[in-house]
Amino acid sequence: MRIVFFGFQRWGTETLRALLASGHDVPLVVTHPPSHNPADNLWSDSVTDLATAAGIPVVECRYANAPELAEQLKVQDAELLVLSNWRTWLSPQICALARHGGINLHDALLPRYGGFAPINWAIANGETLTGVTVHRVEDELDLGDILLQEIVPIHPQDTATDIFHRTLPLFASLALAAVDALERGTASFTPQDSRQATFFHKRDERDMRIDWSRPARDIHNLIRAQSPPYPGAFSHFRGQRIELLKAAPALRDYRGTPGRLLLTADGAVVLCGPPGPQGLLIETVAPEQRPAMPASQFFAGTSGYFD
């Protein structure tokens, strides 16, 4: 098919590479410009570099609804727009410039977890399943009719980084399957139930701050959701900001005041809120301006409370 591609970061490069390797005609690539925002530089493979190496013209823009881009799209005579980690709203007028409109790849099981950082939010919320959805691009963000979905399990110790690597290959395989179905005329779309939809905002520093009054299970989920290279879940101990990079439920049933650090035979345990067992074993920390290290080493000989 003749496809105009919209994408960004590694999700975008993986999808574009698969389309090109499968022989589809990509006459134009649209991507976001380089960013100074650290969140935009995670998994930051360059769609521009990949397209340029393949001899494809590239347009860099934050929003793709300007009349100038519409004029460029009109002359491409595209059959389809494919979006992979395109991070801003695309108007129906732009989608209408391709014969089959646009399809988007989203790393969640829509209609739940529309919006931003779906993997991180899903793990922070204790979900056991996620996946990748291919859906039609329509007026409402992430609510277009679903063409394909694939489920990915989230195991109790999985981190956001684990799930990123587990879902990433699905962007290529599902994009190719979706394009093939549209090309063959066998595509079947299912409307989303908007009553089941949830939409999440971008994660910010406040979302990563640990509230020790929360149950140990919730804090463990937050630490898993903010695994490296994502900014870590953090708290303060004796006035120093500390990122907590790895944790596990404590082996024994510790109880007491939330935020209290206990140095036990099991290691460095911090007490969390009720209900249930309150102990969370902290395995790896990154103190401010210092490299990651075992928590038992950093806290050796100390005691006190996290803020």
Side-chain angles (χ1 to χ4, degrees), residues 85-103:
N85 197 33
W86 181 256
R87 308 184 77 175
T88 56
W89 180 72
L90 197 64
S91 73
Q93 291 77 16
I94 292 292
C95 290
L97 296 174
R99 210 166 308 156
H100 292 285
I103 58 171

Side-chain angles (χ1 to χ4, degrees), residues 65-83:
N65 301 312
E68 295 81 4
L69 182 58
E71 291 302 316
Q72 287 182 267
L73 288 173
K74 285 177 184 176
V75 302
Q76 303 302 334
D77 191 30
E79 296 173 87
L80 180 68
L81 309 182
V82 174
L83 285 65

Side-chain angles (χ1 to χ4, degrees), residues 192-261:
Q192 294 191 48
D193 182 355
S194 61
R195 296 169 301 178
Q196 302 298 318
T198 55
F199 188 91
F200 286 83
H201 59 79
K202 293 180 180 180
R203 292 181 70 79
D204 206 344
E205 183 170 278
R206 181 166 179 167
D207 305 303
M208 305 166 200
R209 185 187 305 153
I210 296 172
D211 176 358
W212 294 104
S213 69
R214 301 285 296 171
R217 176 192 63 250
D218 293 355
I219 297 174
H220 183 216
N221 290 341
L222 175 61
I223 293 169
R224 294 192 300 129
Q226 297 299 145
S227 56
Y230 297 102
F234 71 93
S235 186
H236 289 81
F237 185 81
R238 294 184 173 180
Q240 183 176 6
R241 175 177 167 138
I242 298 172
E243 291 189 358
L244 286 80
L245 304 184
K246 188 177 179 183
L251 299 177
R252 286 185 282 182
D253 188 358
Y254 295 96
R255 304 277 174 148
T257 304
R260 174 71 182 189
L261 170 70

